[in-house]
Amino acid sequence: MATGSETGGVRGGVGGSAGVAGGRGVEALGGAGGRGVGSLELRIGGMTCASCANRIEKKLNRLEGVTASVNYATEKARVNTPAGYDPQALIAEVERTGYTAELPPPPPSRATGRGDAGAGSPEHDAGAGSEGTGTGPVRADGAADRESGWAESSDDVELRALRQRLVVSALLAVPVIAMAMIPALQFDYWGFASLVLAAPVVVWAGWPFHRAAWTNLRHGAATMDTLISVGTSAALIWSVVALFLGTAGRPGVVHPFELTVSPSDGLGHIYLEVAAGVVTFILLGRYVEKRSKRRAGAALRALLELGAKDVAVLRDGVERRVPIEELAVGDEFVVRPGEKVAADGVVVSGTSAIDASMLTGESVPVEVAEGDRVTGATVNAGGRLAVRADRVGADTQLAQMARMVEDAQSGKAAVQRLADRVSGVFVPIAIAVAVATLGAWLGAGFPVSAGFTAAVAVLIIACPCALGLATPTALLVGTGRGAQMGVLIKGPEVLESTRRVDTVVLDKTGTVTSGRMTMSGVVPADGVERAELLRLAGALESSSEHPIAAGAAAELGGLPAPESFENLAGRGVRGGVGGREVVAGRRTLIADRSMALDERLTAAMSAAEAEGRTAVAVGWDGAARGVLVVSDRIKPTSTEAVARFRELGLTPVLLTGDHRAVAEQVAAEVGIERVIAEVLPREKVDVVSGLQREGRVVAMVGDGVNDAPALAQADLGLAMGTGTDVAIEAADITLVRGDLRAAADAIRLSRRTLRTIKANLFWAFAYNAAAIPLAAFGLLNPMLAGAAMALSSVFVVSNSLRLRTFRARADDAAPERGTLERTRT
Amino acid sequence: MRAPARLGLYGLLLAAVFAVAFAAAGALVPEELVRDWTQQSTQTHQESHQEGAEHGHGE
């Protein structure tokens, strides 16, 4: 793997150490590049829990030459096969297991072999090395389109189908419930009318539950779907029997409006309203859940969209604009000021400054000249550059980062719905109780019909209607409250992690600090006016957009324009201002012009540098005239935020690519003890996994594109809303206002939402579980069943609404803080 | 444990539960209770039938 790809030429402070990043790369799922291995992705359907994914994975892995990894959360299987393997065989195997699989739709843009992570091409062996076979559709543009085509169509279709079922179900269930509850509506043969309305609800609208229950049964598992299917089917079948073979269908039979419990003639009762009501409520819950479900692939899309779409290639001295896919290794391309660099490469001619803020978060443009490396997707902020590409398509740093994000998201263990876990235990018990009931009634000598009535009643009442609402309502209210506070929670799977989190990793720049360099100190030499120093230095630096210019302009209210300007690459700038030649830059630049810094100025510079700040010496007319200090300001709320993390039981860790001195300075100021500094962007994710291997449950707060893989890898990723889109998509929670205290609030809110969900589930089951003995003793009547259903639903919704009272502590005013202008005179 | 084995085991468990409940109820539940229950249930049934008939005719 080429060395120095991350560090060469990037002087802006993203780690200083040279050297290979340890080839972390992607753990290849199967063969290494160059062995004729094909790989593809399949979209898997019908999975209802993480164990389904495991099952499919095992079955696929049993096929000869095939290695597969199935992800429940993203509903995708990544499969490595021998070249020329027929994908239909894979699909058939998945279908035999009881699920569905489909190949991705072809990408709309032209797919070429250039950027393709294929096998054996020389460019790829050189670059791909430990990156593996590139087992995902990670390419410049085709991938983004393919991902969006997949994600959009499939999710939309599913959501539409769900909504259709819900609407039909609700329309039909309302009259059924009304008739059952209101005796005045119980005209002759009302039972049959109920059946006509309720049957489609239970059979058609409830079909997904029955199908899932069957699939689970084949694998010896039970989930919420099993519970619903068994309960509603029992209610429907019993009602049919009661109507046609029992007395429920006789004219004039009514459900007396009484909650009192008495031995009822089961064959005179129908339970269609319970069945229809349960199906409708559960569908409602599922619909709400699905709408808020995070779309996997969004992070990937956002990342890939950062790349350039086309490039001006220089061939035989002629410039031609071509799509990015046509760029090959070795091609020379031109980057004009303001354009994005098309691919990773080396500067062949020209000098400029590159704005890498979207990748690294470093706000100061980095100077580059002939021989320096540049990274694709960064912006050329200065002059015209000609670059020779040495990594294109799937090998660029951007593409690698996208792969890392995807890997991290795939590796995340899916949290099974709590309701499913509870159902897994509850269902076998409920069925056993029903069987015991039957046995007891028959054993005691009661008629068979009575025994069956009681047994079926147990099955019906065991199906909690509020179960389907328990999670979605709490989530809806919790996330709604969060949104008001500026905390955007992506989905329910996030909440479980917040409970166990014990470590929080904080990115420095842009998260703990503002990410913008600001002028924090002015030290004029003896006899020099502060205002004059600012005016001359500011005017000069305004041509390079240096923060000094912004700081000076802010204080003075305006700056003169320089008459001339020259960038002395790497050392500073020089130019004419108001008839004087002014120089600003490093110590060495000033010294070379025989403008020695006196003791005071030297001390000021050293002090600033020791604290990790950047000091700029300024001189004119043959003498050093002052020192200006710029630094990244710590956000006023950061210290308080760190204290709040500790209160929540989290250990904060500062993570940054910046120099150790700077990092430790910042950490000391905000109260963080553990510092991990000088980390290359691609190593951030290793830091997170390292902490996880230590047994910690890690939350990560970041904002830059280079934080994305780490955010995805962390058990809980929080992105600053003021950061990049990619970070936001990769994270689980977005903090809209960029206030670090909101992270502590986000964790508190998530924990409370999780507690609410658990309470909801408990009560949803409790009501029905209390009614099981009533059913077992033959004392259940439809009124009671309906009442239990209504009460538990009302309780669950009310309990969820309590989340609206959650108070955010981040709404408190930011603490008073002095500014960091230590060296003001 | 493979699914068929697990399901088979559960089936056996259900059969055992049924048998135990059957035997226990037979031993513990007094016959008078069963008689009373059957009588009461028939009565309730007849009453609701009458009510229904009146209701139907009264319209």
Side-chain angles (χ1 to χ4, degrees):
Chain A
M1 192 177 90
T3 62
S5 55
E6 301 84 8
T7 58
V10 180
R11 301 185 206 106
V14 181
S17 53
V20 180
R24 183 251 171 203
V26 170
E27 261 136 31
L29 290 177
R35 221 191 48 188
V37 172
S39 73
L40 53 92
E41 253 193 23
L42 294 172
R43 177 82 177 221
I44 307 286
M47 293 195 284
T48 56
C49 60
S51 52
C52 299
N54 287 340
R55 225 173 279 139
I56 299 172
E57 208 175 279
K58 274 198 212 116
K59 284 279 165 73
L60 286 174
N61 279 321
R62 282 206 201 112
L63 296 172
E64 186 139 344
V66 171
T67 42
S69 150
V70 180
N71 185 313
Y72 170 63
T74 56
E75 292 178 340
K76 283 197 230 153
R78 206 185 281 182
V79 189
N80 276 3
T81 60
Y85 199 89
D86 179 16
Q88 292 305 322
L90 298 167
I91 294 177
E93 186 63 28
V94 172
E95 281 170 359
R96 257 199 298 280
T97 317
Y99 304 91
T100 61
E102 60 186 24
L103 283 166
S109 55
R110 193 165 74 87
T112 64
R114 292 294 188 178
D116 210 342
S121 54
E123 305 95 300
H124 286 280
D125 280 342
S130 59
E131 258 46 72
T133 55
T135 50
V138 180
R139 290 174 29 211
D141 265 83
D145 291 333
R146 178 164 41 198
E147 278 296 319
S148 59
W150 239 354
E152 236 129 42
S153 60
S154 189
D155 277 348
D156 281 349
V157 163
E158 273 183 50
L159 203 61
R160 231 197 334 264
L162 192 52
R163 189 172 46 227
Q164 212 178 18
R165 281 182 211 274
L166 173 62
V167 168
V168 169
S169 179
L171 286 173
L172 294 175
V174 166
V176 172
I177 295 173
M179 280 194 282
M181 295 298 200
I182 306 170
L185 290 178
Q186 289 165 9
F187 52 88
D188 285 351
Y189 303 112
W190 67 277
F192 293 97
S194 245
L195 180 65
V196 166
L197 292 172
V201 173
V202 175
V203 177
W204 175 74
W207 187 250
F209 305 128
H210 304 306
R211 193 178 50 211
W214 175 243
T215 307
N216 285 326
L217 181 67
R218 277 171 54 189
H219 298 113
T223 61
M224 199 163 105
D225 301 300
T226 315
L227 196 54
I228 297 162
S229 178
V230 165
T232 55
S233 306
L236 180 66
I237 293 170
W238 187 258
S239 304
V240 167
V241 168
L243 282 171
F244 290 100
L245 300 176
T247 56
R250 302 218 182 119
V253 170
V254 293
H255 281 169
F257 193 90
E258 61 190 27
L259 288 172
T260 56
V261 153
S262 57
S264 49
D265 181 2
L267 280 170
H269 290 155
I270 58 171
Y271 291 89
L272 293 170
E273 85 285 6
V274 174
V278 164
V279 170
T280 306
F281 275 109
I282 305 282
L283 281 175
L284 176 64
R286 288 279 164 95
Y287 178 69
V288 167
E289 223 173 46
K290 201 163 185 69
R291 269 216 334 201
S292 58
K293 192 173 161 186
R294 166 233 310 263
R295 286 186 350 177
L300 210 57
R301 252 198 318 279
L303 250 179
L304 296 172
E305 252 148 53
L306 280 180
K309 305 283 183 289
D310 58 16
V311 56
V313 176
L314 206 56
R315 278 178 190 151
D316 305 323
V318 176
E319 229 183 86
R320 210 167 59 93
R321 266 219 112 75
V322 300
I324 189 70
E325 291 90 4
E326 286 183 27
L327 187 69
V329 172
D331 278 346
E332 245 183 63
F333 60 92
V334 171
V335 190
R336 291 200 169 68
E339 284 184 347
K340 279 190 197 170
V341 176
D344 298 351
V346 177
V347 176
V348 168
S349 75
T351 56
S352 180
I354 296 285
D355 175 5
S357 59
M358 64 163 58
L359 272 184
T360 63
E362 296 297 332
S363 47
V364 179
V366 169
E367 292 141 8
V368 295
E370 205 173 306
D372 289 331
R373 291 199 61 84
V374 290
T375 314
T378 53
V379 176
N380 181 5
R384 183 183 181 281
L385 288 174
V387 179
R388 189 173 51 246
D390 60 9
R391 289 165 149 214
V392 299
D395 297 323
T396 59
Q397 202 165 320
L398 190 68
Q400 286 174 20
M401 212 170 290
R403 251 202 306 281
M404 277 196 252
V405 170
E406 207 186 19
D407 281 348
Q409 287 182 329
S410 309
K412 230 183 219 176
V415 172
Q416 195 184 11
R417 270 203 216 99
L418 265 173
D420 282 337
R421 286 211 300 269
V422 176
S423 300
V425 172
F426 194 74
V427 169
I429 293 176
I431 293 177
V433 170
V435 166
T437 303
L438 181 65
W441 278 73
L442 293 181
F446 290 98
V448 174
S449 66
F452 267 99
T453 305
V456 168
V458 167
L459 288 178
I460 294 173
I461 202 65
C463 180
C465 160
L467 185 61
L469 289 174
T471 303
T473 46
L475 204 61
L476 203 60
V477 179
T479 53
R481 179 75 191 101
Q484 281 176 341
M485 288 164 24
V487 171
L488 306 177
I489 302 177
K490 289 269 184 65
E493 60 275 6
V494 167
L495 302 181
E496 183 71 12
S497 313
T498 60
R499 185 173 59 86
R500 304 170 297 132
V501 160
D502 58 24
T503 307
V504 57
V505 173
L506 302 166
D507 169 54
K508 180 181 78 68
T509 313
T511 305
V512 176
T513 66
S514 66
R516 281 188 310 277
M517 297 295 261
T518 48
M519 197 163 68
S520 58
V522 183
V523 187
D526 291 331
V528 177
E529 287 272 328
R530 178 194 165 94
E532 197 187 359
L533 174 62
L534 283 176
R535 189 169 58 84
L536 291 175
L540 183 63
E541 294 283 14
S542 64
S543 302
S544 65
E545 293 191 3
H546 202 277
I548 281 174
E555 190 169 318
L556 299 175
L559 294 169
E563 291 108 32
S564 63
F565 177 81
E566 187 188 342
N567 192 334
L568 306 166
R571 303 202 299 147
V573 294
R574 179 179 70 187
V577 182
R580 290 181 162 127
E581 166 145 331
V582 184
V583 176
R586 297 187 185 211
R587 258 187 249 235
T588 46
L589 180 68
I590 304 295
D592 281 353
R593 281 168 166 66
S594 311
M595 300 184 212
L597 290 166
D598 66 19
E599 260 183 53
R600 196 166 69 88
L601 293 180
T602 310
M605 279 198 94
S606 306
E609 278 158 10
E611 284 171 358
R613 301 173 205 283
T614 305
V616 175
V618 184
W620 62 82
D621 291 345
R625 303 292 178 170
V627 167
L628 298 168
V629 181
V630 292
S631 64
D632 192 3
R633 204 172 276 223
I634 293 178
K635 291 184 188 175
T637 52
S638 296
T639 311
E640 196 187 328
V642 170
R644 298 237 180 108
F645 287 138
R646 286 195 197 281
E647 276 171 32
L648 288 172
L650 304 172
T651 309
V653 173
L654 188 68
L655 177 67
T656 178
D658 215 336
H659 298 289
R660 176 152 285 274
V662 184
E664 283 180 357
Q665 170 74 13
V666 170
E669 270 207 55
V670 295
I672 297 176
E673 282 166 13
R674 190 161 167 185
V675 176
I676 304 176
E678 293 170 20
V679 174
L680 300 173
R682 48 189 305 167
E683 285 173 343
K684 282 191 175 182
V685 63
D686 292 336
V687 169
V688 173
S689 1
L691 287 168
Q692 286 170 327
R693 271 195 301 275
E694 278 176 30
R696 293 168 178 275
V697 180
V698 180
M700 157 113 190
V701 186
D703 71 324
V705 169
N706 62 341
D707 292 327
L711 284 170
Q713 174 70 26
D715 297 289
L716 180 69
L718 300 109
M720 301 301 255
T722 45
T724 59
D725 282 347
V726 178
I728 289 169
E729 292 294 351
D732 303 305
I733 294 180
T734 303
L735 308 171
V736 172
R737 284 178 300 185
D739 180 347
L740 199 55
R741 294 178 301 174
D745 281 333
I747 291 176
R748 265 194 327 126
L749 175 64
S750 302
R751 285 180 177 177
R752 181 146 161 211
T753 306
L754 187 65
R755 273 203 304 274
T756 305
I757 290 175
K758 290 186 174 171
N760 286 351
L761 283 172
F762 174 75
W763 287 107
F765 275 106
Y767 276 109
N768 288 81
I772 282 180
L774 287 176
F777 283 103
L779 302 170
L780 184 76
N781 66 50
M783 280 299 172
L784 269 175
M789 186 168 83
L791 266 171
S792 55
S793 302
V794 163
F795 182 89
V796 159
V797 172
S798 312
N799 194 33
S800 301
L801 286 173
R802 282 176 54 228
L803 276 170
R804 286 191 307 181
T805 61
F806 180 86
R807 206 180 85 78
R809 291 167 71 188
D811 284 341
D812 302 341
E816 295 275 313
R817 271 189 77 88
T819 58
L820 302 178
E821 292 170 343
R822 292 160 199 243
T823 48
R824 247 184 208 276
T825 52
Chain B
M1 198 191 286
R2 290 186 69 87
R6 236 198 337 246
L7 287 172
L9 199 65
Y10 183 63
L12 284 174
L13 181 71
L14 287 181
V17 163
F18 183 90
V20 167
F22 191 96
L28 296 170
V29 175
E31 278 190 36
E32 306 92 61
L33 191 69
V34 179
R35 261 201 312 272
D36 289 342
W37 187 92
T38 321
Q39 266 175 359
Q40 193 180 20
S41 138
T42 322
Q43 230 171 10
T44 321
H45 180 58
Q46 282 170 346
E47 275 168 18
S48 73
H49 212 38
Q50 266 173 339
E51 266 173 41
E54 282 163 22
H55 181 74
H57 290 315
E59 275 178 341

